[in-house]
């Protein structure tokens, strides 16, 4: 199902600009306050999944592993999940869901499970829990605190201790059976413990967990993390789009949740925002059951977080599209970067440069802020003080890259939500040209610090090349380095790296078009592919001595 410009215009026209006359005045007032709060600047949203194996038995010890290091950084909001454990179990003292303290057996063999249970018990004896401590810590440091709930977590498919009692006693409400885990590699059906949202019992218990948090904890908002995992209905397991009834079920749940948060917000005199982490396109959202245009039209969410952070370097085009969809409703869009999937094969010395490149691309594409996932450094990390502000990254070394990702072999539970167009690898046929779009989130020449100049390098890898194979490259219509072609020298076919030094003036802010042609002299040529493409942007200091210009790397 697609939504074009005409559909979006219909949504804009039908958007309710005024509250219904019969509405409770206090709820109407909280809606206005909520709209204002949603526009607050959140330079960086820090997702903390709560699954800490580190021991703690005091608040001070709890703060050390993941919270102390976010103060005095760009982090303006912490989205705290008290544990993934099958959605229904976590570290906070829920009156609806299950708590690690009681749900994990004392004789559990898994060391992480033992530690989580001990941690929950220790805080319980102090009359508190990890969610209450996180909210208090954040508010004392001027940071928002959201309760993040993984709406269909599947870690309990392969970690038996994480399987909640509710799921064990109600297998009829799950999407699969245990034998599917070994039967379906790289397949959504593998994750058999996913909740089947067709059942009202599922919706009721998840709603109850959210309502209980809003009633008893001073949170600033809820994050409904639909990307963990986007497996709500049976058709999704077969990579098929859901039906209209499924969309209606989810929209009804969102309405119910919005009514609840506004009601409790009105009672306490402070709004409760709703953020949702979703696939990075309207089409993919709708395909898995999330009717995003309707949710926006009906004012059912305040913040949209997009993607699971996979293939984050080159997500600028999808960010631009989602920002355009959300703009008429004044809903901020925050793209996600996952630390575990940001070019994880790159040398550690270059990791910071990839992060800057990904973040700069997101800001240039219209992001309201950044969101980090699975990035919980044990000590202070400069990235938390850089990526939340594009000005803080100007003049610093970066790498702009195309991500390598094969959707069919990606984590099966996430495959239905992936939006990764125009990524690597790209097949190259003999004596044919391919085109790639490489996003660059800044004017690299204009952003050079005073006394420095930009020195970009275009790096690519083609697999395989052998002696006699020639490669011709154009960057935005011009050969980089004034080179007409590259000729391979190795006798045996092998992956071959090629590097150029293009004129900085040829690189534009936005999409840069790379054209590659391979001429192979061999009679029989194995299939070739482009599996690496990036623009390394470094800045060098200009020095002048006796009229000669030299450069020195800083």
């Amino acid at each position: 199902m697609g939504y074009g410009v005409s559909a979006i215009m219909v949504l804009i026209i039908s958007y309710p600009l005024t509250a219904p006359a019969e509405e409770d005045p206090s709820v109407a007032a909280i809606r206005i306050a909520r709209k204002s709060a949603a526009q607050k600047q959140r330079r960086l949203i820090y997702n903390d999944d709560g699954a800490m194996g580190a021991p703690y038995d005091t608040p001070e010890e709890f703060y050390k592993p993941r919270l102390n290091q976010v103060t005095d950084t760009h982090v303006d909001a912490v989205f705290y999940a008290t544990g993934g454990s099958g959605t229904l179990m976590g570290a906070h003292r829920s009156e609806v869901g299950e708590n690690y303290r009681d749900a994990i057996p004392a004789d559990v063999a898994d060391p992480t499970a033992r530690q989580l249970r001990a941690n929950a018990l220790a805080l319980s004896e102090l009359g508190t829990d990890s969610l209450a401590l996180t909210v208090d810590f954040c508010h004392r440091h001027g940071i928002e605190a959201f309760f993040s709930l993984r709406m269909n977590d599947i870690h309990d498919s392969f970690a038996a201790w994480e399987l909640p009692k509710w799921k064990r006693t109600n297998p009829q409400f799950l999407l699969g059976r245990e034998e599917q885990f070994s039967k379906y590699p790289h397949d959504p059906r593998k994750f058999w413990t996913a909740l089947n949202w067709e059942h009202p019992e599922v919706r009721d218990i998840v709603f109850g967990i959210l309502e209980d948090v809003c009633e008893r904890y001073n949170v600033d908002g809820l994050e409904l993390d639909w990307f963990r995992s986007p497996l709500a209905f049976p058709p999704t397991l077969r990579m098929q789009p859901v039906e209209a009834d499924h969309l209606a079920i989810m929209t009804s749940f969102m309405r119910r949740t919005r009514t609840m948060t506004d009601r409790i917000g009105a009672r306490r005199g402070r709004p409760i925002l709703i953020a949702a982490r979703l696939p990075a396109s309207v089409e993919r959202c709708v395909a898995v059951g999330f009717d995003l245009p309707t949710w926006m039209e009906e004012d059912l969410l305040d913040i949209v977080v997009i993607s699971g952070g996979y293939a984050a370097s080159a997500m600028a085009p999808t960010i631009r599209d989602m920002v355009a969809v959300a703009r008429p409703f004044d809903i901020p869009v925050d793209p996600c970067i996952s630390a575990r999937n940001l070019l994880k094969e790159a040398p550690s010395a270059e990791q910071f440069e990839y992060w800057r490149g990904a973040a700069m691309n997101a800001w240039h594409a219209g992001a309201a802020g950044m969101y980090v996932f699975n990035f919980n450094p044990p000590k202070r990390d400069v990235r938390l003080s850089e990526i939340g502000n594009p000005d803080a990254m100007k003049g610093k070394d970066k790498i702009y890259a195309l991500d390598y990702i094969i959707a069919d072999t990606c984590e099966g539970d996430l495959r239905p939500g992936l939006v990764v167009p125009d990524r690597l690898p790209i097949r190259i046929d003999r004596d044919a040209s391919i085109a790639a779009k490489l996003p660059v989130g800044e004017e690299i020449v204009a952003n050079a610090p005073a006394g420095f100049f930009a020195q970009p390098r275009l790096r690519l890898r083609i697999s395989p090349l052998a002696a006699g194979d020639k490669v011709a490259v154009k960057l935005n219509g011009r050969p980089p380095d004034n080179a007409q072609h590259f000729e391979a020298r190795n006798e045996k076919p092998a992956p071959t790296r090629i590097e150029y030094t293009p004129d900085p003036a040829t690189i534009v802010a936005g999409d840069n078009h790379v054209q590659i042609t391979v001429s192979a002299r061999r009679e029989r040529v194995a299939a070739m592919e482009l599996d690496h493409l990036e623009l390394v942007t470094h800045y060098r200091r200009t020095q002048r001595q006796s009229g000669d210009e030299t450069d020195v790397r800083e």
Side-chain angles (χ1 to χ4, degrees):
M1 185 183 298
Y3 288 84
V5 175
S6 59
I8 298 300
M9 289 303 296
V10 170
L11 295 180
I12 297 170
I13 292 170
S14 60
Y15 183 77
L17 297 178
T18 57
E22 66 276 12
E23 187 173 45
D24 184 330
S26 64
V27 174
I30 211 67
R31 176 180 288 118
I32 295 172
R34 172 169 54 75
K35 282 291 188 182
S36 176
Q39 298 305 310
K40 176 184 175 181
Q41 184 183 34
R42 296 172 184 86
R43 296 167 296 175
L44 184 56
I45 297 171
Y46 176 85
N47 180 285
D48 182 348
D49 64 12
M52 290 188 292
Y56 54 80
D57 54 13
T58 66
E60 292 71 24
E61 290 299 312
F62 170 74
Y63 301 144
K64 285 181 180 180
R66 294 190 174 182
L67 286 175
N68 282 341
Q69 54 271 48
V70 307
T71 60
D72 300 317
T73 67
H74 290 166
V75 174
D76 290 320
V78 170
F79 285 17
Y80 180 68
T82 62
S85 305
T87 298
L88 309 180
M89 181 166 65
H92 76 287
R93 297 174 294 174
S94 177
E95 295 185 353
V96 178
E98 300 170 33
N99 181 267
Y100 288 146
R101 175 195 59 193
D102 306 313
I104 298 176
D107 60 351
V108 65
D110 187 277
T112 299
R114 286 200 306 271
Q115 190 60 64
L116 289 172
R117 180 178 184 273
N119 292 346
L121 278 168
L123 294 185
S124 178
E125 291 175 359
L126 297 177
T128 188
D129 61 33
S130 61
L131 179 56
L133 290 178
T134 297
V135 172
D136 177 68
F137 179 93
C138 289
H139 288 175
R140 283 190 287 109
H141 291 89
I143 299 171
E144 288 181 316
F146 281 53
F147 171 67
S148 176
L149 184 64
R150 294 183 170 190
M151 303 300 282
N152 215 344
D153 186 83
I154 47 71
H155 283 79
D156 50 355
S157 291
F158 50 86
W161 67 267
E162 292 198 73
L163 186 64
K165 180 180 178 181
W166 192 91
K167 287 187 177 183
R168 295 197 302 270
T169 57
N170 294 284
Q172 71 274 23
F173 299 143
L174 308 183
L175 282 173
R177 298 181 300 276
E178 187 171 3
E179 59 266 25
Q180 294 176 201
F181 185 81
S182 57
K183 186 177 180 180
Y184 298 108
H186 305 303
D187 189 299
R189 290 171 291 182
K190 180 183 184 73
F191 300 98
W192 60 281
T193 59
L195 296 165
N196 184 349
W197 281 70
E198 289 179 334
H199 297 287
E201 292 87 349
V202 168
R203 304 193 295 274
D204 286 347
I205 191 170
V206 176
F207 175 83
I209 290 171
L210 295 170
E211 183 179 41
D212 177 57
V213 166
C214 292
E215 290 276 11
R216 299 192 302 111
Y217 294 85
N218 190 28
V219 294
D220 297 291
L222 301 174
E223 181 193 28
L224 311 187
D225 188 355
W226 294 110
F227 208 89
R228 274 293 188 271
S229 295
L231 303 173
F233 300 109
T236 305
L237 298 184
R238 305 185 300 274
M239 295 298 291
Q240 298 296 316
V242 302
E243 300 172 2
D245 287 350
H246 296 134
L247 294 170
I249 285 171
M250 281 305 192
T251 298
S252 177
F253 179 84
M254 293 296 292
R255 292 187 188 117
R256 182 183 182 189
T257 303
R258 172 63 94 194
T259 299
M260 177 268 293
T261 56
D262 278 353
R263 170 176 51 81
I264 295 175
R267 189 174 69 221
R268 74 178 192 175
R270 190 165 65 87
I272 299 173
L273 305 184
I274 295 178
R277 191 161 74 114
L278 297 162
S281 77
V282 170
E283 289 74 17
R284 196 91 300 266
C285 284
V286 171
V288 296
F290 312 137
D291 191 355
L292 183 59
T294 297
W295 295 5
M296 289 182 172
E297 177 189 7
E298 296 190 10
D299 187 29
L300 301 182
L301 43 75
D302 304 294
I303 301 166
V304 171
V305 178
I306 58 170
S307 94
Y310 291 72
S313 286
M315 60 181 172
T318 54
I319 297 172
R320 289 194 291 262
D321 291 345
M322 290 294 274
V323 168
V325 171
R327 185 178 294 117
F329 306 99
D330 291 329
I331 296 176
V333 174
D334 299 283
C336 171
I337 297 178
S338 174
R340 292 187 179 178
N341 298 90
L342 186 62
L343 293 153
K344 54 188 175 185
E345 295 180 358
S348 58
E350 294 185 342
Q351 281 290 333
F352 283 46
E353 297 174 20
Y354 283 112
W355 275 79
R356 292 184 196 125
M360 206 68 165
N361 271 337
W363 284 107
H364 187 262
M370 297 302 304
Y371 177 110
V372 292
F373 187 82
N374 277 339
F375 181 60
N376 307 111
K379 59 183 180 180
R380 289 197 171 272
D381 190 295
V382 69
R383 283 168 284 190
L384 295 179
S385 297
E386 284 189 348
I387 67 171
N389 183 351
D391 288 337
M393 295 182 285
K394 287 182 178 179
K396 293 184 178 179
D397 295 345
K398 304 175 193 70
I399 298 177
Y400 293 101
L402 283 190
D403 313 271
Y404 185 101
I405 184 168
I406 300 176
D408 289 345
T409 60
C410 191
E411 295 181 40
D413 65 310
L414 304 179
R415 277 181 57 201
L418 285 181
V419 180
V420 287
D422 303 323
R423 302 304 208 280
L424 302 177
I426 301 175
R427 178 186 173 90
I428 305 176
D429 293 322
R430 179 174 178 171
D431 298 327
S433 295
I434 62 165
K437 290 188 296 184
L438 181 61
V440 175
E442 61 179 324
E443 297 284 355
I444 67 169
V445 174
N447 282 352
F452 287 74
F453 66 95
Q455 187 174 70
R457 288 175 289 144
L458 184 68
R459 302 195 301 205
L460 57 99
R461 184 175 66 190
I462 297 175
S463 302
L465 292 177
D469 294 343
K470 294 182 178 180
V471 179
V473 175
K474 289 185 178 180
L475 175 61
N476 294 326
R478 292 178 53 180
D481 245 353
N482 294 317
Q484 296 305 309
H485 66 262
F486 165 88
E487 185 168 345
R489 304 293 182 186
N490 42 292
E491 290 299 324
K492 293 183 179 181
T496 303
R497 294 182 179 273
I498 308 170
E499 183 171 311
Y500 300 95
T501 306
D503 180 351
T506 64
I507 297 164
V508 300
D511 292 337
N512 288 261
H513 298 272
V514 181
Q515 182 180 350
I516 301 171
T517 304
V518 178
S519 301
R521 292 183 178 179
R522 292 166 285 153
E523 291 184 4
R524 294 185 178 181
V525 181
M528 292 179 289
E529 66 180 22
L530 175 70
D531 62 13
H532 195 89
L533 179 63
E534 62 190 21
L535 184 77
V536 180
T537 302
H538 287 168
Y539 292 95
R540 296 180 179 270
R541 182 182 296 277
T542 300
Q543 289 186 344
R544 296 181 182 276
Q545 295 179 348
S546 302
D548 296 325
E549 184 177 274
T550 61
D551 63 84
V552 177
R553 180 78 168 90
E554 283 285 311

